[in-house]
Amino acid sequence: MKAKSIRIIHLVKWLLNIIWYLNFLLIVVALYFLSNEYIVQDTYYFNEKITINMYKALSEQELISGSETTSNIRLFKNRGRIMMNVNNSVSNTIVSMVSLLLLEGIIIGVLFHLRKLFSSFQKESIFSVDNIRHFKIIALYIALYSPLSWGVHLYREWILTENVNHYNYLFALDWIPDFVGLLVGAVIFAIAKIFKLGFELEQENKAFV
């Protein structure tokens, strides 16, 4: 392996180690703030982007109309933000804490196996059964982020439905389903397959020699 590649691998491994230990510090800080917001206080601050259905928001008397020379007048959804204080409950606390722990579980899992990968790369062991397994596990962890984000969104939808009149009629959360985790996970899983092919070719060459 070239000296430049080795230096890059050492640098990445060093950065991963820093991120690994900083992440545990961030967990403590995040738990402190979440505990303060969802346990100590009576209410917590809800702040989300929304899209407002302008057509439905206007009363019948306020609906726009055109002259005989105009047609097909449409009002499109407008973006805004809803901000409110919501009473704390056991469900709020549980969902917030569980969401944080699941997210951190994903981050810790990805960092753990990345560190293992680059430790293997440092030893110039590229194609191996362990590396293939690390790639597959990383792919699974990253793919899990998408359903986690969808679950958090559904809970926010429920909060708005329970606390705001005419929700889903006048406005909705400004949200697009996040498929990034699934896509990145699929790409990394494909890399695992490539490493498996490389491992098999390497084993065949050794057997031939």
Side-chain angles (χ1 to χ4, degrees), residues 118-135:
F118 279 88
S119 293
S120 178
F121 292 164
Q122 281 181 324
K123 299 172 184 176
E124 298 190 16
S125 175
I126 306 299
F127 299 110
S128 68
V129 174
D130 286 339
N131 286 351
I132 295 168
R133 182 173 58 86
H134 291 316
F135 272 116

Side-chain angles (χ1 to χ4, degrees), residues 77-159:
K77 290 182 177 180
N78 217 0
R79 282 180 171 78
R81 184 175 288 276
I82 185 167
M83 295 172 282
M84 61 182 181
N85 290 322
V86 180
N87 290 333
N88 268 322
S89 64
V90 175
S91 62
N92 290 336
T93 304
I94 291 175
V95 171
S96 301
M97 294 297 180
V98 170
S99 298
L100 173 64
L101 293 176
L102 288 175
L103 178 61
E104 280 300 329
I106 291 172
I107 294 172
I108 289 171
V110 170
L111 288 175
F112 176 82
H113 288 281
L114 277 176
R115 291 170 75 230
K116 290 288 186 181
L117 267 178
F118 279 88
S119 293
S120 178
F121 292 164
Q122 281 181 324
K123 299 172 184 176
E124 298 190 16
S125 175
I126 306 299
F127 299 110
S128 68
V129 174
D130 286 339
N131 286 351
I132 295 168
R133 182 173 58 86
H134 291 316
F135 272 116
K136 287 182 177 179
I137 295 174
I138 290 170
L140 176 61
Y141 274 119
I142 293 177
L144 287 174
Y145 174 77
S146 290
L148 175 61
S149 69
W150 301 342
V152 171
H153 169 74
L154 289 175
Y155 185 72
R156 289 171 180 164
E157 291 270 7
W158 179 82
I159 290 173

Side-chain angles (χ1 to χ4, degrees), residues 1-2 10 28 47 54-55 69 71 81 86-87 124 135 149-151 186-187:
M1 192 178 294
K2 293 182 180 180
H10 281 294
V28 175
N47 184 346
M54 297 302 294
Y55 183 82
T69 59
S71 62
R81 184 175 288 276
V86 180
N87 290 333
E124 298 190 16
F135 272 116
S149 69
W150 301 342
V187 170

